[in-house]
Amino acid sequence: MAEDKDISISVIIPTNNSSELTRHYLPQLCAHIEECDNIISSYEIVVSDSNKKNGDLIGETDSGQPNVRLIYAKPGLSDVENLNNALFAATKEYVLMLGDNILPTYNYFNELISLFQYVPSLFGASGNTLVSTNTDYSTGLKTLDPTASGISIVEVPFKSKKPTYTLALSESNMLINRRLLCIMGGFCTLYKNIDAAKTDVCIRAWRAGRKCLFTAAANCKQFALQQPKEEDSHQRNIDKTFNNLVLNHLHTSRLLHLKFWGSFTANYIRTVFSGKEEQKDQKAANKQFLNRIKAIHTVRHWFKKQRNEPFDKIAKGYFSGPLQEISLSRQHENNNI
């Protein structure tokens, strides 16, 4: 496959400060991708900048780097809307989404792209992220939390080099078939942050008959320590709870959906009449969820119209027991999974 050299990749990056990316991150990212010219025929980096300081400037401008497309988006877009703006401007076969300061290593594309050749129904794949403090820690393989009710996703330590089914791809790195992602409508803008929208799109892919894989054999690395972002802990808790409510409403069905509403109703009543400080974030998230319930239910109805598999069938089939590894040689022979 590497000899064919016919793989094209779009790296999509939403931001609200493209100047910082251009100075520090993008030159190194370009250099790392160009080191993989044995497998990648062409690439582009699409940066969508929604910084309010751009004023009325909307459209593509010269970035000064031949493989970087800089798009000034409409100011005020949410992070997920800005991500979609970059996605729908991309033109290559695959889209790659990386976290801040994450760079693919030399073997990253070889390992992940081979999975698309062996697994015809593959939607996307993630590799291991090496952090400066611990080069042995694997990140990105996710499964259902068996101790929690509803849809609760946990990340588990995993060191096997074999490709393994993952319920959601890693937030730090994910390589996806662009055509499939666009057919699905991109990322759902109901969510408050990109990580939640990424998880949702993977679950939608599973329900549509596609698969997601994680392999620790593909590596990317954090090229510099990130500066911690100042965040409002209350707002972070509210957003996390709201995102979880949306995810469970959209993807639970039948008895699991009735249990969701029963749990939500009991929780809502408890928070309304509770004066406890720790209940305020939950109460605010519940209120936001109910305020947007019409839009959320419309999206749920659209999902059902797509004739997707119920989530509980996916959960029982792939994520109710031990993690399921796959054999590439067997996959190649059967051309099926």
Side-chain angles (χ1 to χ4, degrees), residues 133-148:
T133 55
N134 187 348
T135 57
D136 294 326
Y137 176 63
S138 294
T139 61
L141 199 153
K142 299 180 181 180
T143 187
L144 286 174
D145 183 353
T147 65

Side-chain angles (χ1 to χ4, degrees), residues 5 30-41 104-110:
K5 195 182 174 183
C30 289
H32 275 249
I33 296 176
E34 287 166 7
E35 288 177 355
C36 305
D37 60 356
N38 65 314
I39 188 172
I40 298 175
S41 60
T105 61
Y106 187 79
N107 78 326
Y108 180 83
F109 295 105
N110 285 280

Side-chain angles (χ1 to χ4, degrees), residues 222-241:
Q222 182 180 339
F223 85 100
L225 291 176
Q226 301 180 40
Q227 293 296 324
K229 297 178 180 179
E230 293 185 4
E231 293 182 285
D232 184 329
S233 60
H234 289 290
Q235 188 60 50
R236 184 172 62 249
N237 291 335
I238 292 170
D239 290 349
K240 181 179 179 180
T241 303

Side-chain angles (χ1 to χ4, degrees), residues 173-189:
N173 74 98
M174 51 199 305
L175 186 68
I176 294 178
N177 182 307
R178 183 183 66 85
R179 178 176 172 274
L180 294 178
L181 181 54
C182 289
I183 288 175
M184 292 169 58
F187 296 91
C188 179
T189 57

Side-chain angles (χ1 to χ4, degrees), residues 35 66 80 98-99 136 141 159 173 244 259:
E35 288 177 355
V80 181
L98 298 171
D136 294 326
L141 199 153
K159 294 185 178 181
N173 74 98
N244 186 60
K259 287 182 177 179

